[in-house]
Amino acid sequence: MDRDKILLTPGPLTTTLRTKLAMLRDWGSWDSEFNAITASIRQSLLQIIHGSNDYTVVPLQGSGTFSVEAAVATVVPANGHILVLDNGAYCKRAAKLSTMMGKKCTVKTFDEAQAVDPQVLEACLQADPSITHVIMIHCETGAGVLNPLQAVSDVCKNKGVGLIVDAMSSFGALEIDTRQVQFDALIAASGKCLEGVPGMGFVFIRKAILASCEGNSMSLAMDLYDQYQYMEKTTQWRFTPPTHVVVALHQAIAQFEEEGGQAARLARYTANYQALIDGMAALGFQPFLDPQVQAPIIVTFHAPKDAKYDFKQFYLAAKDRGFILYPGKLTQIETFRVGCIGAIGPNEMKQAVLAVKQTLTDLKIQTVA
Amino acid sequence: MDRDKILLTPGPLTTTLRTKLAMLRDWGSWDSEFNAITASIRQSLLQIIHGSNDYTVVPLQGSGTFSVEAAVATVVPANGHILVLDNGAYCKRAAKLSTMMGKKCTVKTFDEAQAVDPQVLEACLQADPSITHVIMIHCETGAGVLNPLQAVSDVCKNKGVGLIVDAMSSFGALEIDTRQVQFDALIAASGKCLEGVPGMGFVFIRKAILASCEGNSMSLAMDLYDQYQYMEKTTQWRFTPPTHVVVALHQAIAQFEEEGGQAARLARYTANYQALIDGMAALGFQPFLDPQVQAPIIVTFHAPKDAKYDFKQFYLAAKDRGFILYPGKLTQIETFRVGCIGAIGPNEMKQAVLAVKQTLTDLKIQTVA
C-alpha cells in the first residue's frame, strides 16, 4: 500500500496537500515578497489571540522547544526566579532548560493526571515573594491534560508575577484571548494545531515588557529581543529562515482562516476526539484521564492488559493499516497516545479505531481492560 | 512572468524540483522509516569528509548560526579561551555568540579582502598559551574569501589547540578531508552547497573529544552532546525535527552523490564562477577580491560608480528579469554579491549576466568601473 500514513501524533501531524504544495518554490530570504509573507503570518497570529494592540509575535527557527527556551532566556532577567507548575514531561523539560541557563527555578509538582491548581499557585507565590515568573503548559501533551489558563493568568496578574505559557499543543485549537488572559510570553509552533510543517516556533510577547527584555539572553540564537528588533527594523529574519516551512505555515494559516478560525478548528478536533473515544470505548479501551481535565488534542489510553501486548508490535500492525500511533510518556503506567489533531476529520478517526480493532485481532490480544 | 526566480544568493538557494518534491509527504518523527533517513544522511555526511572512523555528525534544528553557537557551546568548556580569526561579518558573529554565552573570547582581526594568516595565528598562540580553541570561517561569505583550512588546522594540531571551523558556505563544494585536516568541530547546513532547503544545520565532532563535551552547554537546545547521546540511543531526534527539511536534504544528498560528489560539485560551481566573472568583466564589473583568495562560492563586485546606481533599484530590475542578487556586506565600500551555488549551471550564470546588462541599460547606468 502506497498511500501516506495518517499521523495520529501531536506534531508533526498530517497536513493538507495544499500546505505541502506551497513548498515547491524557493525563496530569497532577503526578498521583499518573502518578508511580506513573514509579516502576514505575524499579523494573522496576533489576530488569533486578539493581541494586535498589546502583544507582538516573534518567530524563531527550530523546534518548539527552541522557542520555549528562547522565551525563558529573553523574558526572565538574570536575577529572576521561575516557578514551574509541573504536571508532566514538558513541564520538566521547561524546568531543565531554565536551570541549565542559570536561572533560579523552583518546581511545584502536581499529579500528572490532574490539572495544576491555581489556589496552590497562589499559596506558593504568597509563601515565596522572590518568585518573578511562572511557567505553565497549557495542554500538557505528556498525558493530554488541559491546564486552567484563565485562573492561572488571573493569579499571576493579581500577584504582579510574569506568566510564560507553553501553548505548543493548544494554540489555534483552544481559545486564547488576550482580552481575557494576560501573559508575558506564550509559545507555539508551526507544526501543531495550525497544521503547518515543523521547523519554526513563535513567541507572543507582551509589548509592555519588551524593553525590559533587552540583554537578558546569554544566547545569540535564543535572543528574541534581538530577533524582534532586527525584524521590526529590516522586515527580515535575523538569520536564515526555514523559507519552505514559513510559506507552508502561511498557506496553513489561510486554510485555518477559511475553515473558520479557532472555533471551527476546536469543533473539528472535538468531533475527532469524540469519534476516537467512543470507538475505543467500544473496543474496551480506557482513557487515562478524567474527561474533566482532558483536552481534545491528544488522548492517553491504558495499554491492553493482555500479556501478548507489546507497544512496538501494536504500533507496527496499526501502521501497516495506515495509522501512526504515538507512544505513551508516563513513567509509572503502560500507555499509548492517539492525537486528534491535524488535517483529518472524524472519518479518519473511525478508520483508525477500525485499524486498532483489526490489530487486536491480528495480535490475538483479547484482554483490553 | 511566472517562472521561479533564480536565487544567486548564498543559501537559501535554487534547489531541484526533485528535492522539493520530497517534501510532499508527512512523516512521523518517531517512526523508524524517518529515523532511517536521518541515519542515512549522517552516514553520507561522514563519507564526504572521509570521517566515518574518527568523527561523528550531529544534526540540529534551526539556521546555520544555531549550529555554530551549538558547536561553541558544546565543544568549549567554561574555562576555555577562544581565538577568533576575523576577516569578515560571520567571524564577528561567531565572536559575538561566544562572548554572549560567557566564554572568554579574543579576536584577531585581518583585512576582509585577505585570507587569515596561519603564521599570525601561530604567533598568537605562542604569545598567549591560555588560548584553548580557534574559530575560523572556511569561506567567509561576507566578501567571499577562502581561508587556508589545511595550514590553520596544522598550526592548531601542532599547538594542541582545538579548531572549530564554520564551513557553512564551503561544505560539499570545497574539499574537506579529515585524512588531511583535523578539527574538533566543523559546521555546515542543509540549505547551502548540498542544495537542500534551509532549516537545519549539522556539526561534525571529533570522537576523541566527545566525552569532554558533556555538561559544557548551558543551553538545552544548543547541547550537541545531549543531542548526540539521545540520537545514538534512540535513533531519533531529541526534539521535533523539521521532517520535511530532513527528507529534502536526503534527496539533495542523493543527487549530490549521483553528480559525482564534492569534486563534481566544485567543478560545476567553478564553471559557474568563471561564466559569471567573465561575463561581468565584459560589462566592466570589478570583483572586490584578488582571484588568489576568491572561493568559487560567492563573488563580491564593486557597485557601479555611476551616480544613478542604487542597489534597491538595481536589485528590483534584475529580479524583474528573473534573478535574485544579494546585497554587499562590507561596511566601507559599496558592493553587491552574486552567488555561484545552487542547482544552476553556467547557462544560468550567462543569463544572469545578460539580465545585469539589460538592467544597466534600463537604469541608464553608464559608468560601471
XYZ file of all heavy atoms in Angstrom, chain B residues 142-198:
402
model
N 30.980 36.976 3.841
C 30.906 38.433 3.859
C 31.492 39.024 2.591
O 30.852 39.832 1.904
N 32.714 38.602 2.249
C 33.334 39.061 0.997
C 33.489 37.915 -0.003
O 33.522 38.138 -1.205
C 34.695 39.684 1.281
N 33.573 36.692 0.504
C 33.746 35.529 -0.371
C 35.139 34.916 -0.301
O 35.504 34.091 -1.143
N 35.912 35.289 0.727
C 37.305 34.835 0.860
C 37.395 33.359 1.260
O 36.661 32.905 2.129
C 38.041 35.664 1.940
C 39.431 35.095 2.211
C 38.127 37.118 1.550
N 38.314 32.649 0.627
C 38.641 31.288 1.027
C 39.787 31.330 2.024
O 40.876 31.825 1.705
C 39.051 30.476 -0.202
C 39.519 29.049 0.073
C 38.400 28.203 0.663
C 40.044 28.405 -1.212
N 39.578 30.823 3.229
C 40.635 30.788 4.229
C 41.371 29.456 4.191
O 40.802 28.441 3.790
C 40.044 31.059 5.619
C 39.787 32.536 5.846
O 40.619 33.381 5.515
N 38.613 32.866 6.380
N 42.657 29.458 4.602
C 43.528 28.272 4.448
C 43.290 27.227 5.528
O 43.980 27.209 6.539
C 44.934 28.869 4.548
C 44.776 30.084 5.408
C 43.386 30.603 5.177
N 42.324 26.349 5.286
C 41.932 25.351 6.280
C 43.092 24.435 6.664
O 43.339 24.187 7.847
C 40.752 24.528 5.751
C 40.255 23.388 6.633
C 39.849 23.888 8.014
C 39.092 22.662 5.964
N 43.820 23.945 5.639
C 44.891 22.986 5.931
C 45.960 23.593 6.839
O 46.342 23.002 7.856
C 45.530 22.503 4.622
C 46.601 21.444 4.803
C 46.025 20.112 5.266
O 45.170 19.542 4.613
N 46.478 19.622 6.411
N 46.415 24.781 6.487
C 47.501 25.417 7.249
C 47.048 25.765 8.663
O 47.795 25.577 9.638
C 47.997 26.661 6.508
N 45.833 26.264 8.801
C 45.319 26.614 10.131
C 45.134 25.348 10.972
O 45.469 25.323 12.161
C 44.000 27.419 10.000
C 43.266 27.490 11.340
C 44.290 28.822 9.465
N 44.636 24.298 10.334
C 44.493 23.018 11.033
C 45.852 22.507 11.508
O 45.983 22.024 12.643
C 43.831 22.002 10.102
O 44.003 20.687 10.583
N 46.864 22.630 10.647
C 48.216 22.164 11.015
C 48.748 22.910 12.233
O 49.288 22.299 13.160
C 49.179 22.341 9.829
C 48.884 21.369 8.687
O 48.129 20.397 8.911
O 49.389 21.592 7.565
N 48.571 24.231 12.223
C 49.063 25.029 13.355
C 48.348 24.608 14.645
O 48.982 24.380 15.683
C 48.854 26.547 13.096
C 49.161 27.350 14.362
C 49.721 27.023 11.933
N 47.023 24.485 14.565
C 46.244 24.117 15.761
C 46.657 22.742 16.281
O 46.819 22.533 17.481
C 44.750 24.154 15.458
S 44.117 25.822 15.217
N 46.824 21.814 15.350
C 47.199 20.457 15.746
C 48.575 20.453 16.422
O 48.752 19.834 17.481
C 47.208 19.555 14.509
C 47.223 18.075 14.827
C 47.117 17.226 13.568
C 47.341 15.760 13.892
N 47.369 14.927 12.683
N 49.516 21.176 15.824
C 50.865 21.245 16.397
C 50.872 21.863 17.781
O 51.640 21.459 18.651
C 51.805 22.048 15.488
C 52.164 21.264 14.242
O 52.065 20.033 14.236
N 52.552 21.967 13.191
N 50.011 22.854 17.956
C 49.990 23.571 19.235
C 49.062 22.904 20.253
O 48.911 23.395 21.378
C 49.535 25.022 19.006
C 50.532 25.860 18.208
C 51.695 26.290 19.107
C 52.697 27.129 18.320
N 53.888 27.442 19.138
N 48.369 21.849 19.835
C 47.446 21.172 20.756
C 46.236 22.011 21.122
O 45.717 21.935 22.238
N 45.793 22.827 20.164
C 44.656 23.714 20.393
C 43.486 23.205 19.545
O 43.682 22.738 18.428
C 45.065 25.157 20.003
C 43.858 26.039 19.760
C 45.964 25.754 21.079
N 42.272 23.289 20.075
C 41.092 22.831 19.336
C 40.733 23.793 18.217
O 40.882 25.006 18.364
N 40.243 23.244 17.098
C 39.833 24.090 15.968
C 38.343 23.893 15.697
O 37.867 22.756 15.580
C 40.652 23.732 14.725
C 40.247 24.428 13.418
C 40.408 25.945 13.514
C 41.067 23.875 12.245
N 37.623 25.003 15.603
C 36.199 24.984 15.227
C 36.083 25.688 13.885
O 36.482 26.851 13.758
C 35.338 25.691 16.295
C 35.462 24.964 17.639
C 33.875 25.770 15.847
C 34.810 25.690 18.805
N 35.583 24.968 12.885
C 35.518 25.501 11.527
C 34.065 25.739 11.131
O 33.254 24.809 11.137
C 36.155 24.530 10.509
C 36.142 25.139 9.111
C 37.566 24.152 10.925
N 33.730 26.962 10.792
C 32.432 27.262 10.190
C 32.598 27.058 8.684
O 33.208 27.875 8.004
C 32.040 28.701 10.540
C 30.768 29.152 9.825
O 30.345 28.499 8.859
O 30.218 30.184 10.233
N 32.076 25.918 8.207
C 32.213 25.574 6.785
C 30.860 25.693 6.077
O 30.588 24.999 5.094
C 32.775 24.159 6.648
N 30.037 26.594 6.600
C 28.663 26.774 6.109
C 28.596 26.857 4.587
O 27.819 26.165 3.951
C 28.133 28.084 6.708
C 26.668 28.128 6.910
S 26.125 26.857 8.054
C 26.775 27.473 9.606
N 29.422 27.751 4.010
C 29.307 28.044 2.577
C 30.230 27.200 1.729
O 30.200 27.290 0.507
C 29.640 29.513 2.318
O 28.839 30.330 3.096
N 31.077 26.402 2.357
C 32.057 25.639 1.583
C 31.752 24.143 1.546
O 32.050 23.467 0.559
C 33.456 25.842 2.174
O 33.499 25.366 3.509
N 31.123 23.632 2.603
C 30.955 22.194 2.736
C 30.180 21.612 1.555
O 29.096 22.074 1.207
C 30.242 21.851 4.045
C 30.044 20.372 4.220
C 31.093 19.573 4.644
C 28.836 19.773 3.910
C 30.933 18.206 4.770
C 28.664 18.404 4.039
C 29.715 17.617 4.463
N 30.732 20.579 0.984
C 30.092 19.930 -0.164
C 30.691 20.393 -1.473
O 30.660 19.677 -2.463
N 31.236 21.623 -1.477
C 31.820 22.163 -2.706
C 33.345 22.153 -2.629
O 34.018 21.773 -3.582
C 31.312 23.579 -2.957
N 33.896 22.589 -1.516
C 35.349 22.599 -1.369
C 35.771 21.341 -0.602
O 35.016 20.816 0.215
C 35.794 23.859 -0.632
C 35.355 25.174 -1.304
C 35.861 26.369 -0.511
C 35.841 25.245 -2.753
N 36.971 20.887 -0.882
C 37.429 19.647 -0.260
C 37.693 19.826 1.237
O 38.380 20.774 1.644
C 38.712 19.162 -0.950
C 39.083 17.763 -0.501
C 40.367 17.255 -1.151
O 41.360 18.023 -1.177
O 40.374 16.109 -1.629
N 37.116 18.946 2.023
C 37.412 18.881 3.455
C 37.626 17.407 3.754
O 36.672 16.631 3.826
C 36.253 19.445 4.298
C 36.018 20.931 3.980
C 36.553 19.276 5.801
C 34.746 21.506 4.583
N 38.874 17.025 3.897
C 39.225 15.612 4.019
C 39.922 15.404 5.362
O 41.039 15.874 5.571
C 40.152 15.230 2.845
C 40.473 13.735 2.836
O 40.318 13.066 3.890
O 40.900 13.240 1.777
N 39.254 14.676 6.259
C 39.801 14.511 7.606
C 41.015 13.585 7.636
O 41.618 13.400 8.682
C 38.733 13.984 8.584
O 38.200 12.766 8.060
C 37.621 14.997 8.764
N 41.378 13.022 6.482
C 42.648 12.299 6.441
C 43.798 13.300 6.350
O 44.958 12.963 6.574
C 42.666 11.337 5.247
C 41.612 10.215 5.384
C 41.444 9.426 4.111
N 41.082 10.286 2.989
C 40.714 9.849 1.783
N 40.661 8.542 1.548
N 40.406 10.693 0.830
N 43.453 14.553 6.019
C 44.454 15.624 5.913
C 44.292 16.679 7.009
O 45.266 17.147 7.568
C 44.345 16.337 4.549
C 44.194 15.434 3.345
C 45.447 14.644 3.037
O 46.542 15.072 3.412
N 45.311 13.502 2.389
N 43.072 17.103 7.244
C 42.847 18.165 8.228
C 42.196 17.591 9.482
O 41.452 16.610 9.415
C 41.953 19.309 7.668
C 42.618 19.988 6.490
C 40.562 18.825 7.326
N 42.503 18.231 10.618
C 41.902 17.819 11.879
C 41.188 19.011 12.494
O 41.678 20.137 12.419
C 42.978 17.301 12.837
C 42.426 16.908 14.209
C 43.511 16.428 15.160
O 44.144 15.395 14.949
N 43.724 17.189 16.222
N 40.032 18.769 13.056
C 39.303 19.827 13.773
C 38.532 19.182 14.914
O 38.316 17.963 14.925
C 38.348 20.574 12.824
C 37.540 19.669 11.937
C 36.404 19.033 12.432
C 37.922 19.423 10.609
C 35.667 18.178 11.625
C 37.179 18.556 9.801
C 36.051 17.935 10.306
N 38.128 20.001 15.887
C 37.255 19.497 16.950
C 35.809 19.518 16.484
O 35.031 18.618 16.794
C 37.414 20.347 18.216
C 38.671 19.961 18.988
O 39.444 19.122 18.489
O 38.885 20.508 20.089
N 35.444 20.590 15.770
C 34.067 20.705 15.266
C 34.085 21.437 13.937
O 34.894 22.352 13.727
C 33.192 21.456 16.272
N 33.202 21.026 13.052
C 33.048 21.679 11.755
C 31.555 21.751 11.449
O 30.841 20.756 11.582
C 33.800 20.922 10.668
C 33.787 21.566 9.265
C 35.177 21.487 8.625
C 32.759 20.919 8.345
N 31.111 22.934 11.059
C 29.674 23.203 10.962
C 29.259 23.523 9.534
O 29.939 24.277 8.831
C 29.304 24.421 11.842
C 29.818 24.252 13.259
C 27.790 24.667 11.800
C 30.927 25.188 13.648
N 28.135 22.963 9.108
C 27.527 23.370 7.840
C 26.010 23.247 7.986
O 25.505 22.986 9.080
C 28.061 22.525 6.685
N 25.283 23.456 6.888
C 23.817 23.479 6.979
C 23.197 22.897 5.718
O 23.849 22.735 4.686
C 23.322 24.894 7.233
N 21.905 22.595 5.823
C 21.174 21.909 4.753
C 21.034 22.738 3.484
O 21.062 22.189 2.377
C 19.771 21.536 5.257
O 19.093 22.681 5.750
N 20.875 24.046 3.643
C 20.474 24.864 2.502
C 21.620 25.562 1.796
O 21.433 26.640 1.231
N 22.807 24.963 1.813
C 23.974 25.571 1.170
C 24.426 24.671 0.013
O 23.614 24.304 -0.808
C 25.076 25.796 2.213
C 24.597 26.548 3.459
C 24.275 28.011 3.174
C 23.764 28.700 4.437
N 23.410 30.109 4.206
N 25.695 24.316 -0.031
C 26.225 23.635 -1.215
C 25.718 22.203 -1.398
O 25.930 21.614 -2.458
C 27.750 23.668 -1.210
S 28.404 25.341 -1.297
N 25.055 21.645 -0.412
C 24.395 20.354 -0.640
C 23.088 20.557 -1.389
O 22.461 19.590 -1.840
C 24.152 19.619 0.681
C 25.388 19.068 1.396
C 24.989 18.393 2.707
C 26.149 18.078 0.510
N 22.656 21.813 -1.485
C 21.467 22.186 -2.261
C 20.171 21.606 -1.709
O 19.253 21.255 -2.457
C 21.673 21.837 -3.754
C 22.883 22.546 -4.348
C 23.126 22.251 -5.823
O 22.393 21.447 -6.424
O 24.083 22.843 -6.378
N 20.101 21.513 -0.372
C 18.834 21.224 0.288
C 18.104 22.532 0.574
O 18.524 23.599 0.136
N 17.000 22.433 1.320
C 16.284 23.642 1.719
C 16.738 24.027 3.132
O 17.193 23.166 3.890
C 14.749 23.448 1.659
C 14.325 23.000 0.261
C 14.254 22.471 2.712
N 16.630 25.303 3.504
C 17.117 25.706 4.826
C 16.209 25.231 5.963
O 15.017 25.015 5.751
C 17.121 27.239 4.746
C 16.124 27.581 3.694
C 16.122 26.438 2.719
